[in-house]
Amino acid sequence: MSNTSRRSFLKKTAAVTAGSCLAPVVVSSTALGLDGTTPPSERITMGLIGSGSHGRGWNLPLMFKNPDQQVVAVCDPDKGYTAAAQKQVVDFYSKKFGKEYECKSYEDFRDVVNRKDIDAVCIATPDHWHVPMSVFAMKAGKHVICEKPTRTIQEGRLMCETQKKTGLVFQTASENRSIPVYQQLVNLARNGHLGEVKHVKVLLPPGNTMARDPNKRGGETTVQPIPDTLNYELWTGPAPLLPYIPIRLHYNWRWNLAYSGGVLPDWGSHLINAAQWALGTDDTGPVEVQGTGEFPPFEEPWNTANTFKLYYRYANGITMDVWSEVPGIKIEGTKGWVLSRGWRSPLTASDEKLLQIKFDNSGDDKKDFGRPESNANDWGGGGEHRDFTICIKSGKPPKPTYYTAESGHRTHTIAHLGNISMQLGGKKILWNPQTETFEGESAEEAKKNSFFVREQREPWSFDKIDSWINVG
């Protein structure tokens, strides 16, 4: 049954029940949508895939705040995580609706996606699972809000093409575009108040402190028996199957090349994207990158770059430096500059008057490049999830989200290119963003790099995805 027919069915059922001679049933006003909340027939039913710290600590609270979403299922290959997420959901909705709430938990993400009553999924897994799960979900007819980043450039392109083919809503799950500080920074640049933009500086935090100092390596760093509560085969999925080392998994997976690219794509998904947004280059990228990084003095359990210094050049001559310091971004133009030094920190500028400009679409120099119509700037009240659901409910074809699959892919590509240059010993990488191919002397080496393409472990390869679909 489609989402539309399911909602029509619910409405018809409600009408029949209202006209029949049955004993009265006491239902809370919240459940009926009478207190200003969204009625059940209009809520987007959500499945959470990935119930770790970011799934439970960030995405669930945002979905709880959003009246247009209702979580009905949680999933994780770690039973401890699913139990915690399930309790969190049941406790919240039981209190909200005034009756015991049912939320099913699953180990296998395919069981969530194949539920006919689920409209959309939130994917909050380690990076190596983002694209396979997103492609599967969209092919199965589900809208997707997925954490960032991708694992390879070619996987990112596949994700974008799947979204275009299915026409479903995809949101790259980053609160960055919901934060007023970055909206103001982007509006100043895009409206010409800084003059012609010449240079961008992106500051990202260093990587894992434990990896930088072997004496601080806490937790189990040696091979251990796989606990009964963890489906390690499913957790690993398309990545290489490595010996089980506890400290390499939850949260710390981001510092291992089997699963992620380290802090560069992780934090770059926020602040490199802010640069792309400010430059108006969401659908393209730089043509040149070169840089070096400092790596851990050991191969296991972490091996991504801890610090880096990268240089990028766009075809129009704009340059961008990305290096390790504190999270921040500075846009420099011919008339001035604007800076946020520190995550979500207040702006400073070459002229304080720049910070007083209000962007309200009242003139060509005051166009608002944020999404005020979606209330997305209230990041604490729903942020990316609010924007996601508004786009779903906008009709067909749906309105694109403020951080689309294409925009996310292009941002992640910039980070992947930086990792490739570092892994090639600091060689200059020439990139054609139109064809998404390498050029120049380093092209052959670069296109073999695992941040461009890598083989997926069976039976989790992309050619198996269609066989997973069993929505009915």
Side-chain angles (χ1 to χ4, degrees):
M1 184 182 295
S2 67
N3 295 339
T4 302
S5 61
R6 176 172 63 82
R7 291 182 173 127
S8 299
F9 172 77
L10 289 173
K11 291 177 181 178
K12 290 178 182 178
T13 302
V16 170
T17 302
S20 59
C21 298
L22 298 175
V25 176
V26 178
V27 183
S28 70
S29 60
T30 300
L32 291 173
L34 299 178
D35 62 349
T37 61
T38 304
S41 61
E42 297 302 323
R43 294 176 199 148
I44 296 165
T45 51
M46 299 291 304
L48 173 66
I49 301 175
S51 300
S53 59
H54 209 66
R56 298 196 312 272
W58 180 262
N59 286 284
L60 278 182
L62 286 183
M63 288 190 275
F64 292 162
K65 290 179 181 179
N66 185 1
D68 285 338
Q69 286 174 299
Q70 184 171 333
V71 183
V72 298
V74 296
C75 175
D76 201 278
D78 188 313
K79 293 179 181 178
Y81 278 15
T82 50
Q86 184 183 38
K87 183 179 186 303
Q88 191 173 343
V89 173
V90 169
D91 287 350
F92 174 80
Y93 287 115
S94 293
K95 182 178 180 180
K96 179 177 181 177
F97 297 141
K99 60 179 181 179
E100 187 66 23
Y101 186 76
E102 180 182 3
C103 172
K104 291 189 176 180
S105 65
Y106 299 88
E107 180 180 87
D108 194 319
F109 65 94
R110 292 170 292 190
D111 294 330
V112 175
V113 172
N114 282 322
R115 271 183 54 167
K116 288 188 268 188
D117 63 333
I118 287 181
D119 301 320
V121 293
C122 173
I123 299 172
T125 65
D127 298 350
H128 67 284
W129 262 122
H130 288 167
V131 173
M133 288 182 180
S134 294
V135 169
F136 166 50
M138 286 187 284
K139 282 191 168 189
K142 312 297 184 183
H143 302 290
V144 175
I145 178 168
C146 181
E147 283 296 334
K148 58 344 174 225
T150 61
R151 178 52 186 80
T152 76
I153 293 174
Q154 286 202 350
E155 285 184 17
R157 173 46 53 202
L158 175 62
M159 182 176 68
C160 293
E161 296 308 311
T162 303
Q163 188 279 322
K164 292 175 184 176
K165 184 175 181 179
T166 61
L168 293 161
V169 173
F170 182 96
Q171 172 78 275
T172 299
S174 167
E175 71 273 21
N176 195 63
R177 293 199 173 199
S178 300
I179 298 174
V181 164
Y182 300 117
Q183 292 177 337
Q184 180 77 353
L185 177 144
V186 166
N187 282 329
L188 288 170
R190 295 284 289 273
N191 283 288
H193 294 286
L194 305 179
E196 184 181 357
V197 174
K198 293 292 188 179
H199 186 62
V200 180
K201 295 177 180 177
V202 174
L203 290 68
L204 305 179
N208 189 356
T209 57
M210 291 187 290
R212 296 201 303 275
D213 185 352
N215 295 322
K216 295 181 179 179
R217 294 167 65 190
E220 292 290 350
T221 60
T222 58
V223 176
Q224 301 289 318
I226 300 171
D228 294 337
T229 56
L230 175 68
N231 185 334
Y232 187 52
E233 163 66 27
L234 185 56
W235 187 94
T236 301
L241 186 61
L242 303 178
Y244 173 69
I245 298 177
I247 198 66
R248 201 200 307 115
L249 262 68
H250 299 322
Y251 184 82
N252 289 316
W253 50 261
R254 68 195 69 224
W255 315 125
N256 191 285
L257 292 168
Y259 318 118
S260 178
V263 72
L264 178 57
D266 186 31
W267 273 87
S269 295
H270 296 299
L271 293 168
I272 293 176
N273 181 256
Q276 286 276 94
W277 191 17
L279 297 177
T281 54
D282 270 342
D283 295 336
T284 182
V287 297
E288 178 185 327
V289 58
Q290 186 171 17
T292 57
E294 174 262 322
F295 293 84
F298 41 78
E299 285 298 315
E300 285 287 2
W302 308 295
N303 49 26
T304 59
N306 291 319
T307 61
F308 39 82
K309 186 174 180 60
L310 300 160
Y311 166 86
Y312 295 86
R313 180 178 62 82
Y314 288 77
N316 60 4
I318 293 176
T319 56
M320 178 170 68
D321 287 313
V322 179
W323 75 89
S324 305
E325 192 176 311
V326 297
I329 180 171
K330 184 178 184 181
I331 310 293
E332 301 174 344
T334 55
K335 294 182 179 179
W337 55 263
V338 61
L339 165 70
S340 172
R341 191 176 189 279
W343 180 229
R344 305 173 185 158
S345 294
L347 296 178
T348 57
S350 54
D351 186 341
E352 287 294 317
K353 293 180 181 178
L354 291 170
L355 308 181
Q356 308 306 316
I357 300 174
K358 304 295 182 183
F359 298 96
D360 53 12
N361 296 316
S362 61
D364 291 341
D365 63 343
K366 292 186 177 181
K367 184 176 180 181
D368 191 343
F369 287 90
R371 291 287 286 273
E373 76 280 7
S374 71
N375 295 318
N377 60 334
D378 181 16
W379 68 270
E384 63 268 31
H385 280 274
R386 189 78 181 116
D387 186 70
F388 175 60
T389 53
I390 286 175
C391 291
I392 291 175
K393 300 180 85 170
S394 68
K396 293 185 177 180
K399 179 188 296 185
T401 57
Y402 65 33
Y403 198 170
T404 63
E406 186 71 34
S407 176
H409 163 61
R410 296 292 183 163
T411 295
H412 304 149
T413 293
I414 294 174
H416 296 330
L417 292 173
N419 266 323
I420 292 173
S421 178
M422 286 191 287
Q423 290 191 351
L424 295 184
K427 288 185 178 180
K428 181 185 295 185
I429 303 296
L430 300 182
W431 175 250
N432 186 325
Q434 280 69 49
T435 60
E436 295 188 283
T437 55
F438 294 103
E439 299 176 348
E441 295 180 2
S442 303
E444 288 302 314
E445 283 183 283
K447 72 180 183 181
K448 296 176 182 177
N449 189 274
S450 69
F451 282 105
F452 181 66
V453 61
R454 74 169 182 175
E455 186 177 353
Q456 292 180 305
R457 191 174 67 91
E458 296 294 352
W460 308 105
S461 60
F462 284 110
D463 61 6
K464 298 292 193 303
I465 286 179
D466 287 347
S467 68
W468 302 346
I469 301 173
N470 187 29
V471 178

